[in-house]
Amino acid sequence: MKKIIIIIFILFISTLVIAQNKRFTYEYQFIPDSANISDVKTETMNLDVSADGSKFYSYTVFQADSLSKIELEKQLAATGMINIKADSRKGSVRYSVSKRYPKYEVSLHNRILMDQYKVAETRPIKWKIISEKQKIAEWNVQKAEADFAGRHWDAWFTTEIPIQDGPYKFHGLPGLIVKLEDNTKSHIFTLQGIRNIDSVPSEIFSSKEIAVNLKQYDKIIRDYENDPTKGLKILQSGGITMKMIDDPNNNMKEQEQRQKAGIKKNNNRIELNTVQ
């Protein structure tokens, strides 16, 4: 009888927690280039949770893109031209992740060139819960381990927040993931705060997404890395003049070389294997 009461109480508390829209804010520290481990980037990430599911995205990118979109639309309407400053893009994490409850159907959302893709994640995360416990900030947490997408991950979750979710694609533990890091410490997510929100932003994901599987997405990424300026070429062939403010000569070859150099330095991605 006591066990039944406890289970009912846990379910009741879980319902209360998810009944309100919650924002879990994480600090994300990552090393983009494995050859330069002293270059550690930091970005603020939001995990917005509602009764239907969650959205994980860069708060920095979301805010900057919202303002940039308005400005670029004004430029195009007024002059027929788009003036792009090379350093105008704020934030490094351009992808987002969604999870649909109660089955935790996971999708990656990312724009490559001119198209927005929705990539269904079908690889299970097989957790091994460890007896080790500690306290992180005000939360009592327990350790779990898993191998996923070419990395070994350590997670610290708390049953004090009975939401089986966490940063990026990670989920499925008996409580919210408070801290997550791979064994090289190249990617570390740490929960910084929690607050109620009126609603989860609907404009995080495009309404015109192309649904692809993991293998298709892997090929799209490889094709993009071979020709990163293809999007600019398509826009120009359509009659839109693209003017790079920091490149007055508008040299497409030089732009391609710069982008390829940037891609080469981004070799320490969160997924070392995008298929298995």
Side-chain angles (χ1 to χ4, degrees), residues 23-41:
R23 173 164 294 164
F24 301 94
T25 299
Y26 290 83
E27 179 187 73
Y28 176 30
Q29 293 183 313
F30 58 102
I31 301 171
D33 185 359
S34 60
N36 185 12
I37 59 174
S38 63
D39 182 23
V40 181
K41 307 292 185 184

Side-chain angles (χ1 to χ4, degrees), residues 101-166:
Y101 303 158
K103 293 183 178 180
Y104 285 84
E105 298 164 335
V106 181
S107 297
L108 175 76
H109 307 259
N110 198 12
R111 177 176 294 279
I112 307 296
L113 297 175
M114 301 299 295
D115 295 314
Q116 181 78 21
Y117 294 95
K118 180 179 180 180
V119 190
E121 179 54 71
T122 55
R123 297 167 293 181
I125 300 175
K126 299 177 181 179
W127 292 107
K128 179 183 178 182
I129 296 179
I130 311 299
S131 60
E132 185 178 348
K133 297 180 180 180
Q134 63 170 285
K135 193 161 188 174
I136 297 178
E138 66 264 40
W139 299 288
N140 294 304
V141 299
Q142 186 170 350
K143 188 177 182 181
E145 298 178 352
D147 292 314
F148 181 73
R151 292 186 183 275
H152 181 79
W153 293 92
D154 292 332
W156 295 91
F157 67 92
T158 179
T159 55
E160 296 168 356
I161 307 174
I163 298 175
Q164 297 181 17
D165 212 329

Side-chain angles (χ1 to χ4, degrees), residues 200-250:
V200 177
S202 59
E203 62 269 33
I204 295 172
F205 310 132
S206 170
S207 59
K208 297 180 180 179
E209 293 182 312
I210 301 171
V212 296
N213 59 36
L214 291 169
K215 288 186 177 180
Q216 290 169 328
Y217 181 66
D218 185 68
K219 183 179 185 305
I220 291 165
I221 291 292
R222 294 179 187 278
D223 289 345
Y224 162 70
E225 291 175 346
N226 289 331
D227 188 4
T229 57
K230 183 178 179 180
L232 294 178
K233 296 171 186 174
I234 292 172
L235 282 175
Q236 290 183 339
S237 66
I240 296 176
T241 302
M242 303 292 292
K243 180 183 178 183
M244 301 296 290
I245 293 176
D246 293 341
D247 182 10
N249 296 323
N250 204 31

